[in-house]
Amino acid sequence: MRIRSLGTRFAIPCVAVGVILAGCSDTAAPPPGSAVVGTTSDINPHDVADLRDGGTLRLPLSGFPQTFNFLQIDGGNSDTADVIDSILPSPYTADAAGVLTVNENYFSSIELTGTNPQQVTYTINPKAVWSDGTPITWEDLRSQANALSGADPAYLVSSRSGFDKVAAVERGVDDRQAVVTFRENYGQWQGQFSPLYPKATTESAAAFNDRDRDNLAYSAGPFQIASIDRSQNRITLSRNPKWWGPAPKLDAIVYSVLDASAWLPAIQNNELDRAYMSGLENVTAAKQAAGVVLRRTPEPTWSHMTFNGAPGSLLEDPELRIALSKAIDRQGIVNAAQNGIVEHPRPLNNHVFVNGQKGFQDNAAPITFDPDAAARMLDELGWKLEGDVRVKDGKRLELRNVMYQQDQWVQTAQILQQNLARVGVKVNIQTIPGSGLFKNVIDPGNFEIANFTWSGSTLPIGALRQIYYYDPNDLQGNKARIGSPELNALIEQTIAEVNPDKAIELANKCDKMIWEEGYSVPLHQASGTYAVRADLANFGAFGLASIDYTKVGFLK
């Protein structure tokens, strides 16, 4: 699924949306847009006075959340993120340019109050309470910092978020102030506590791993979970009666788990109010639907193919992964995905920054498309052709390519299959329902190649530690099980750098090493094309911006 990435979170795996091959259409296609992150959002902005009170916002999910704890390894994905966006605190909001400001609904101020050692003081809004009426206090921050620190491996975390560098979280002038002191500098500190969970969720490993698995015990946003209907694959949010901020205009938000192939028909039949559209035929058909408009803003989200390079695996050798990467026609895949959707489709050539984001540079030279060179590399590595497939030491170069059960991803895989067959590599395509792709297949390492999507943020450098740092005892987001002590050390240096320009320079050094080790094959970044109800205001394609759910609603 494609979602607007949340303002300060790190990378989120999204399971759907690959390519759809363009065919003939009886109606004119909409003009292509950009795929370069910019400074705008397309959300049909209106003053809340223009909105009617009430109404239900209907949105799709690609799979039912395994847990409602986004911080836990089973919950760190786009479906969980989408559901909790309006019901849990985040310290910052981002504008269309990705500029962060303190979210005053939750914090009166957040200040960097020390540099040696680094220290951040969070002053909590005195009105902020959990949905049971309990005040949000410094103890909630301390408990979450302890849970994500890595000190207790029983906490199965999706990302440490820099809390392994925190020395202490202490009470400030009163219970509504937390002082965070670091033992080592952490340049991405603004991404911490996003989202914030109550102490009851993080105070023990048992609570952290399972308390919110079937429901969310407490919330603290304009909405809260009203009902969960697993038989109908539906989650309904209602207004939070304890909410102290501006009253939302909507009565409810309903999330329905739908196969991606059903998103377009649901838009056409007025069963959804917004859905991501990929592929020229889908985009064109959505444009023709009654009462629907296309809204577009490029977003920091990108599709890719990740290799499984775990010790003892078929693709353990980085030179083999590079050879395979050089045989993949990324431009051909991107053309199939985005011709007619964006102007000048092109592959994404950076693992950290997307096109248009400060810091982006092209570091993809190690996997320049060259199938003849790929074949020579395979020969030199001892993978010799026997019939149509290469063999070494009795092992066939036969790969399982896993992905969400969606036609678009299958078509991406079919192009990959054709590319690699040319150099003597057999690819078997295996589709998985969205709810089981990560938990049952990718996280246990039951694949050679996995296709999915990362949804990034305004603080992309923080994802280096989450995704590309390799600790076999604490994988977090490193689905590839690939890395090196040298890259680990450089990542630590990068995320500790508080000078933004120096941090960008170091991040690109990391990216060059990631390309050289054949970690993954980035494909294309998202155009951010959504089909949206024409009368829905302050909602649509957000790009880098945060959603203010108190302002979302339908026009009078």
Side-chain angles (χ1 to χ4, degrees):
M1 186 180 88
R2 294 285 188 146
I3 62 166
R4 179 251 350 135
S5 62
L6 305 179
T8 56
R9 289 188 182 139
F10 299 141
I12 304 170
C14 314
V15 293
V17 186
V19 307
I20 183 166
L21 302 179
C24 298
S25 176
D26 294 330
T27 55
S34 174
V36 176
V37 167
T39 59
T40 60
S41 293
D42 187 2
I43 62 171
N44 190 23
H46 278 269
D47 189 278
V48 291
D50 298 335
L51 309 184
R52 61 182 172 90
D53 288 322
T56 298
L57 178 65
R58 302 162 300 171
L59 302 172
L61 297 176
S62 59
F64 211 94
Q66 296 287 321
T67 174
F68 292 93
N69 183 358
F70 178 82
L71 309 174
Q72 206 266 350
I73 192 166
D74 294 335
N77 58 56
S78 63
D79 290 320
T80 307
D82 224 8
V83 173
I84 67 170
D85 194 13
S86 66
I87 60 181
L88 284 173
S90 285
Y92 289 91
T93 61
D95 66 11
V99 177
L100 300 177
T101 57
V102 174
N103 188 341
E104 294 184 354
N105 283 324
Y106 299 107
F107 293 94
S108 303
S109 67
I110 303 174
E111 297 177 314
L112 184 65
T113 49
T115 56
N116 188 25
Q118 182 179 340
Q119 192 172 76
V120 181
T121 299
Y122 294 80
T123 302
I124 300 165
N125 183 330
K127 297 179 180 179
V129 296
W130 298 108
S131 52
D132 67 343
T134 303
I136 297 175
T137 74
W138 74 279
E139 292 184 333
D140 296 305
L141 280 73
R142 179 182 63 176
S143 182
Q144 184 157 315
N146 290 341
L148 300 183
S149 69
D152 184 351
Y155 286 87
L156 303 179
V157 305
S158 57
S159 172
R160 290 186 185 170
S161 306
F163 287 111
D164 52 343
K165 298 181 180 299
V166 170
V169 179
E170 299 169 302
R171 184 178 186 270
V173 296
D174 56 27
D175 284 349
R176 294 288 194 162
Q177 189 174 80
V179 180
V180 180
T181 304
F182 292 78
R183 66 171 59 89
E184 302 173 46
N185 283 349
Y186 183 59
Q188 305 298 297
W189 60 270
Q190 290 169 301
Q192 296 185 310
F193 303 110
S194 179
L196 176 67
Y197 278 80
K199 180 176 66 173
T201 291
T202 57
E203 63 186 352
S204 71
F208 183 85
N209 292 328
D210 292 313
R211 176 185 176 87
D212 296 325
R213 189 158 294 275
D214 297 323
N215 202 338
L216 190 64
Y218 300 118
S219 57
F223 291 88
Q224 63 182 7
I225 294 178
S227 65
I228 296 175
D229 187 339
R230 294 180 184 273
S231 64
Q232 296 294 320
N233 277 330
R234 187 172 296 132
I235 300 168
T236 301
L237 310 185
S238 63
R239 293 182 185 180
N240 175 8
K242 297 291 186 180
W243 174 245
W244 59 93
K249 303 299 289 186
L250 294 169
D251 285 328
I253 304 173
V254 174
Y255 293 97
S256 299
V257 177
L258 296 173
D259 185 89
S261 63
W263 292 8
L264 174 60
I267 284 288
Q268 293 170 321
N269 296 331
N270 194 17
E271 296 167 350
L272 289 175
D273 295 308
R274 184 189 74 157
Y276 192 88
M277 292 292 116
S278 62
L280 185 56
E281 289 184 344
N282 280 359
V283 170
T284 301
K287 179 176 181 286
Q288 305 304 318
V292 172
V293 296
L294 290 180
R295 303 210 180 278
R296 287 173 161 170
T297 301
E299 53 195 26
T301 301
W302 68 99
S303 299
H304 64 93
M305 300 171 177
T306 281
F307 295 114
N308 181 356
S313 68
L314 186 60
L315 302 183
E316 178 180 10
D317 183 355
E319 290 299 310
L320 175 56
R321 299 193 297 266
I322 290 291
L324 296 177
S325 301
K326 291 177 75 69
I328 298 171
D329 182 5
R330 293 194 301 142
Q331 186 63 59
I333 291 174
V334 173
N335 287 344
Q338 294 192 328
N339 264 342
I341 304 295
V342 303
E343 299 172 338
H344 313 300
R346 53 182 170 173
L348 177 62
N349 291 330
N350 198 293
H351 290 86
V352 185
F353 306 100
V354 296
N355 287 308
Q357 199 165 32
K358 184 178 180 181
F360 175 84
Q361 67 183 43
D362 185 343
N363 296 322
I367 68 162
T368 299
F369 179 53
D370 189 340
D372 293 334
R376 289 193 298 272
M377 286 183 68
L378 292 170
D379 285 333
E380 293 166 359
L381 291 169
W383 290 98
K384 303 300 183 182
L385 270 176
E386 292 186 9
D388 295 331
V389 180
R390 292 179 181 269
V391 177
K392 179 180 179 181
D393 299 331
K395 293 182 180 179
R396 287 164 54 89
L397 197 47
E398 187 168 344
L399 312 176
R400 289 166 298 162
N401 185 194
V402 304
M403 68 217 65
Y404 179 59
Q405 189 172 300
Q406 182 189 7
D407 289 346
Q408 290 93 327
W409 267 127
V410 172
Q411 291 165 355
T412 298
Q414 288 170 340
I415 298 173
L416 169 71
Q417 191 178 51
Q418 294 164 6
N419 289 164
L420 292 185
R422 177 179 173 183
V423 296
V425 181
K426 182 175 177 58
V427 175
N428 298 315
I429 298 171
Q430 181 180 1
T431 60
I432 311 294
S435 59
L437 178 62
F438 289 99
K439 184 175 180 63
N440 299 332
V441 180
I442 294 179
D443 290 342
N446 297 326
F447 68 96
E448 276 77 50
I449 304 174
N451 295 0
F452 60 98
T453 300
W454 283 113
S455 182
S457 78
T458 57
L459 297 171
I461 291 175
L464 279 168
R465 182 62 172 79
Q466 176 192 1
I467 303 173
Y468 304 109
Y469 188 98
Y470 179 59
D471 178 351
N473 298 313
D474 185 18
L475 291 172
Q476 296 182 63
N478 191 331
K479 313 298 185 183
R481 296 161 170 79
I482 292 171
S484 67
E486 294 78 15
L487 178 57
N488 285 356
L490 186 57
I491 287 173
E492 293 285 12
Q493 181 185 355
T494 303
I495 63 176
E497 179 55 60
V498 294
N499 181 303
D501 293 332
K502 180 64 174 176
I504 286 172
E505 179 184 342
L506 290 170
N508 274 299
K509 288 183 178 180
C510 291
D511 185 50
K512 290 177 181 178
M513 293 180 69
I514 294 165
W515 286 103
E516 290 166 356
E517 65 184 9
Y519 184 99
S520 64
V521 179
L523 299 175
H524 53 80
Q525 68 193 71
S527 65
T529 303
Y530 292 85
V532 187
R533 292 286 139 212
D535 64 343
L536 181 59
N538 302 320
F539 201 75
F542 286 86
L544 293 171
S546 304
I547 302 174
D548 185 346
Y549 280 94
T550 67
K551 295 181 179 179
V552 177
F554 296 92
L555 296 173
K556 292 178 179 177

